[in-house]
Amino acid sequence: MMTEYQTATDKIIADAMANPSPAKSMGDPGITPLSPSHTQQNDTDQVQSEPSFVVVVAIDFGTTSSGYAYAFTKEPECIHTMRRWEGGDPGVSNQKTPTTILLTPDRKFHSFGYAARDFYHDLDPSESKHWLYLEKFKMKLHTTANLSIDTDLHAANGKRVKALDIFAYALAFFKEQALKELSDQTGGEFDNNDVRWVITVPAIWKMPAKQFMREASYKSGLVSRENPEQLIIALEPEAASIYCRKLRLHQMVDLGTQTTQNGFSPTDNVGSGMTQVSPGHAKEHVRRNRQSRTFLVENVVGELWSELEEGDRYVVVDCGGGTVDLTVHQIRLPEGHLKELYKASGGPYGSIGIDYEFEKLLCKIFGQDFIDQFKIKRPAAWVDLMIAFESRKRAAAPDRTNPLNINLPFSFIDYYKKFRGHSVEHALRKSNVDFVKWSSQGMLRMSPDAMNSLFKPTIDHIIQHLTELFEKPEVSDIKFLFLVGGFAESPLLQQAVQNMLQGRSRIIIPHDVGLTILKGAVLFGLDPSVIKVRRSPLTYGVGVLNRFVEGKHPAEKLLVKDGTRWCTDVFDTFIAADQSVALGEMVKRSYTPAKPSQQVIVIHVYCSEKESVGFISEPGVRKCGTLRLDVSGTESTAPRREIQTLMQFGDTEIRAMAVDVSTGRTVKASIDFLSQ
């Protein structure tokens, strides 16, 4: 890999030597900005490496539902979304499958998605308690503060499993499904080496979570550690942004011009108007793709996009099951490249927040102790209850007047009577929850206000985030707000966003809003260089020694070594929070092994949410990663070995490369954010 950078590296080293820093003898010659030609060179590298893949397959691994889509590199305008899944739910379009996984009692993979849910559901309760059933587990990667390879998840029966195993099983399932479909389409065994894989993650995810997804991909056999380039981690709102550039007017709803009475009905948003092609061509497509579902992404800029001018800004609000991600992009013409204007923000405010509110309501009526027991003792009935709630949740709308009925499973009513000694009806009468009634047909009747109140905390969080975002100077004058992700279908959320914006920006919702990210991720895999500038979410750096300066450095940081006065714990910034970083831009440093015989240099990487950091000991600065340089086999007779390290921050992941300056040989470099 290093050879491509060799000439640029030579120039950088010359620059570095010309700018010695006070910490020179400690092996840190300070930072020099990179020449633009270097960034350009990196672009062309990427272009040359593209054609080796025959197909790009994107996996949208969601909190509540998942799916995949693909496009052949020879036909980039045809995006195929996977076959319809068996066993879809009433009232919910089944273009994706639920993110649920089932393991046998001896912890072997059994099934994923609807198949996992249905099989688990049909097990006898005495058997089902031995099986391991997991759902909504993706959120663990966002909420775990010290995520590691050993992080655990809890199955429905309370048993613990390794998160890495579960994610690897899920990715292996998608690999098998996609390769099988590709083999069927091409009429021969499809080789995994011909696939470029793309996995989508929320933009607000921290580095450990992204690295965790990569580790799970290696474990699942999706890609090998020797060929990391075969997998790209895509950021969900970026993928949505890339897809939205292609939208034609008939492929979206402009909330400014339309009422949001019912949002979308699940039937009318299935690719409506997506495939307007000449009749002969269309027949050919339909014949070839009877199994899969094809969207034609025209190789032109959509009408909406043609209204945008150089420098115009827009916001993508990605509302998924687990998280809400806000990204601000600016258009750069003539190629229409995108530039991120403000670091991604958001939080764990996806639609599963409404499920938690419903659960809290049930606890209030029937008691937390009962609900906890019921989930463990009758797990399949609990799944049923949540499925029933899901379809009613989708019927919630601002102007709804008639109540929403939720079927209570018979075993809920039965178990409650055994547990408490009185009926569900009695519990409802006794509780102070007056907007939930019992109907004689065995249903919970919720008034529309009751249902809307379950949405309120989650929607309030989203609106608060949007309000804060729109107060930022970078976010003035926003032309469009794209509302994407499965939760964007909610008329309650649409109305809340409309009320907050009050016409300051047009709100655009693509048809098939739940597949927007998936399709955009395929386009990103076909051309990863479309996003030219990103913002760093955090400040990254390392601790170094600098020459002690009286009056500038605190006395307690003074270290005297061989008669020289040094200041310890100085935070040497690689990149600052919210700093723009161009694609392929490098930050470089040089390090010297402390002893000539040293085989490995380990450098601790620190990060902070603050933009300017003076010392690694400041509050809010934490150790977040390790930069590891394997210098074995590069020994030389030079009196001082200098290892030149290049770190790339402009991509969706942070990468490191290194070279031994005296020999010009590549040094194995890696950044690890997981084993802190």
Side-chain angles (χ1 to χ4, degrees), residues 514-581:
L515 295 179
T516 303
I517 287 157
L518 198 44
K519 294 183 226 164
V522 174
L523 295 171
F524 180 64
L526 291 166
D527 178 16
S529 63
V530 61
I531 300 204
K532 289 291 184 221
V533 179
R534 290 187 174 87
R535 295 276 171 160
S536 175
L538 297 168
T539 297
Y540 289 98
V542 293
V544 296
L545 294 176
N546 271 352
R547 284 289 176 93
F548 191 86
V549 180
E550 285 295 343
K552 177 186 170 196
H553 291 143
E556 68 270 15
K557 301 280 185 199
L558 173 63
L559 167 78
V560 180
K561 192 175 172 185
D562 302 334
T564 307
R565 292 156 62 83
W566 298 99
C567 178
T568 61
D569 292 348
V570 174
F571 187 97
D572 170 28
T573 303
F574 290 164
I575 192 157
D578 207 28
Q579 182 182 332
S580 327
V581 204

Side-chain angles (χ1 to χ4, degrees), residues 203 235-245 305 313-319 324-330 338 344-345 466 469-470 475 478 480-485 505 508 510 516-517 531:
L235 306 181
E236 286 159 1
E238 286 191 356
S241 190
I242 292 164
Y243 178 68
C244 288
R245 307 172 357 140
W305 218 249
R313 302 147 183 227
Y314 62 94
V315 172
V316 176
V317 181
D318 168 20
C319 304
V324 167
D325 247 351
L326 314 174
T327 305
V328 186
H329 277 158
Q330 185 174 39
L338 307 181
S345 60
L466 266 175
L469 184 70
F470 271 77
V475 192
I478 294 291
F480 300 113
L481 181 143
F482 290 102
L483 206 50
V484 302
S505 157
I508 307 292
T516 303
I517 287 157
I531 300 204

Side-chain angles (χ1 to χ4, degrees), residues 28 47 154 182 408 512 586 613 670:
D28 197 317
V47 173
H154 286 94
L182 289 166
L408 273 188
D512 254 346
M586 300 283 181
V613 182
S670 59

Side-chain angles (χ1 to χ4, degrees), residues 422-676:
H422 58 238
S423 69
V424 163
E425 192 177 351
H426 177 80
L428 273 159
R429 274 207 310 273
K430 284 280 294 259
S431 77
N432 302 330
V433 182
D434 52 355
F435 44 64
V436 180
K437 300 275 184 272
W438 178 245
S439 88
S440 52
Q441 289 94 11
M443 294 184 182
L444 287 180
R445 292 184 74 116
M446 292 184 74
S447 71
D449 287 350
M451 181 60 97
N452 295 0
S453 70
L454 298 182
F455 278 76
K456 191 175 179 339
T458 303
I459 288 180
D460 285 353
H461 273 301
I462 295 172
I463 296 303
Q464 185 191 339
H465 261 280
L466 266 175
T467 307
E468 285 168 14
L469 184 70
F470 271 77
E471 283 165 1
K472 304 268 184 263
E474 303 89 335
V475 192
S476 56
D477 224 18
I478 294 291
K479 206 144 197 190
F480 300 113
L481 181 143
F482 290 102
L483 206 50
V484 302
F487 191 23
E489 289 181 27
S490 161
L492 290 168
L493 177 63
Q494 293 172 10
Q495 188 188 53
V497 173
Q498 261 181 308
N499 292 346
M500 180 236 127
L501 282 175
Q502 305 210 316
R504 278 184 291 174
S505 157
R506 277 168 65 192
I507 303 168
I508 307 292
I509 304 175
H511 282 301
D512 254 346
V513 67
L515 295 179
T516 303
I517 287 157
L518 198 44
K519 294 183 226 164
V522 174
L523 295 171
F524 180 64
L526 291 166
D527 178 16
S529 63
V530 61
I531 300 204
K532 289 291 184 221
V533 179
R534 290 187 174 87
R535 295 276 171 160
S536 175
L538 297 168
T539 297
Y540 289 98
V542 293
V544 296
L545 294 176
N546 271 352
R547 284 289 176 93
F548 191 86
V549 180
E550 285 295 343
K552 177 186 170 196
H553 291 143
E556 68 270 15
K557 301 280 185 199
L558 173 63
L559 167 78
V560 180
K561 192 175 172 185
D562 302 334
T564 307
R565 292 156 62 83
W566 298 99
C567 178
T568 61
D569 292 348
V570 174
F571 187 97
D572 170 28
T573 303
F574 290 164
I575 192 157
D578 207 28
Q579 182 182 332
S580 327
V581 204
L583 189 65
E585 195 171 316
M586 300 283 181
V587 172
K588 45 152 261 332
R589 291 289 189 276
S590 288
Y591 298 104
T592 305
K595 302 186 216 49
S597 59
Q598 195 172 340
Q599 303 285 303
V600 176
I601 304 177
V602 176
I603 297 151
H604 296 312
V605 178
Y606 293 85
C607 67
S608 168
E609 296 193 358
K610 290 191 303 195
E611 281 177 44
S612 63
V613 182
F615 297 95
I616 60 172
S617 51
E618 286 177 18
V621 177
R622 58 191 171 83
K623 190 178 141 209
C624 64
T626 310
L627 173 62
R628 199 184 154 86
L629 306 174
D630 182 347
V631 294
S632 56
T634 60
E635 291 82 358
S636 70
T637 50
R640 178 174 164 274
R641 287 168 67 200
E642 183 181 348
I643 309 298
Q644 177 86 51
T645 308
L646 296 173
M647 279 157 291
Q648 193 173 340
F649 285 89
D651 227 318
T652 57
E653 297 171 276
I654 297 175
R655 293 207 189 90
M657 294 161 282
V659 66
D660 186 315
V661 175
S662 60
T663 62
R665 280 161 61 197
T666 302
V667 170
K668 255 179 86 177
S670 59
I671 290 193
D672 180 13
F673 290 100
L674 268 178
S675 44
Q676 294 321 302

Side-chain angles (χ1 to χ4, degrees), residues 64-292:
T64 46
S65 60
S66 297
Y68 66 89
Y70 58 95
F72 292 97
T73 45
K74 286 199 167 67
E75 286 189 296
E77 67 289 341
C78 288
I79 299 177
H80 310 265
T81 62
M82 70 245 139
R83 307 164 179 175
R84 283 194 171 281
W85 300 94
E86 298 304 312
D89 291 336
V92 178
S93 82
N94 59 342
Q95 297 156 323
K96 291 198 211 158
T97 196
T99 308
T100 50
I101 195 164
L102 183 63
L103 308 188
T104 61
D106 58 357
R107 296 171 177 256
K108 298 275 185 292
F109 175 80
H110 180 272
S111 46
F112 187 90
Y114 288 118
R117 215 170 66 182
D118 295 346
F119 187 90
Y120 178 65
H121 181 265
D122 295 341
L123 284 169
D124 187 80
S126 61
E127 265 188 277
S128 67
K129 61 171 181 269
H130 301 295
W131 288 66
L132 290 94
Y133 178 78
L134 293 101
E135 59 179 359
K136 298 177 185 152
F137 49 86
K138 180 182 168 190
M139 277 306 282
K140 185 85 177 185
L141 299 196
H142 181 73
T143 53
T144 306
N146 46 355
L147 185 68
S148 80
I149 291 293
D150 299 318
T151 294
D152 280 337
L153 298 170
H154 286 94
N157 61 3
K159 289 188 180 156
R160 292 153 79 99
V161 277
K162 288 259 174 290
L164 192 70
D165 292 346
I166 297 301
F167 280 83
Y169 279 141
L171 291 172
F173 167 80
F174 278 111
K175 175 189 173 185
E176 187 192 344
Q177 293 286 320
L179 288 178
K180 186 168 175 294
E181 186 169 339
L182 289 166
S183 299
D184 290 352
Q185 272 227 349
T186 52
E189 195 62 29
F190 204 87
D191 185 354
N192 189 40
N193 292 326
D194 291 335
V195 181
R196 163 163 264 172
W197 294 96
V198 180
I199 296 177
T200 64
V201 304
I204 52 172
W205 266 16
K206 304 271 192 299
M207 276 300 160
K210 293 179 190 171
Q211 188 185 332
F212 188 94
M213 274 312 225
R214 187 168 274 285
E215 292 296 331
S217 306
Y218 294 148
K219 181 156 191 169
S220 70
L222 196 70
V223 296
S224 73
R225 220 174 270 282
E226 290 65 52
N227 190 11
E229 304 293 309
Q230 195 185 349
L231 168 70
I232 298 179
I233 301 284
L235 306 181
E236 286 159 1
E238 286 191 356
S241 190
I242 292 164
Y243 178 68
C244 288
R245 307 172 357 140
K246 304 272 187 184
L247 285 176
R248 310 301 304 267
L249 288 175
H250 59 266
Q251 295 165 345
M252 61 199 182
V253 176
D254 186 334
L255 281 195
T257 59
Q258 296 208 355
T259 54
T260 57
Q261 265 170 327
N262 317 318
F264 302 120
S265 76
T267 47
D268 72 21
N269 70 341
V270 183
S272 46
M274 273 317 229
T275 43
Q276 292 195 335
V277 275
S278 65
H281 194 77
K283 264 207 197 78
E284 166 63 21
H285 260 297
V286 171
R287 195 170 67 245
R288 203 167 33 139
N289 298 310
R290 189 152 292 149
Q291 280 303 311
S292 90

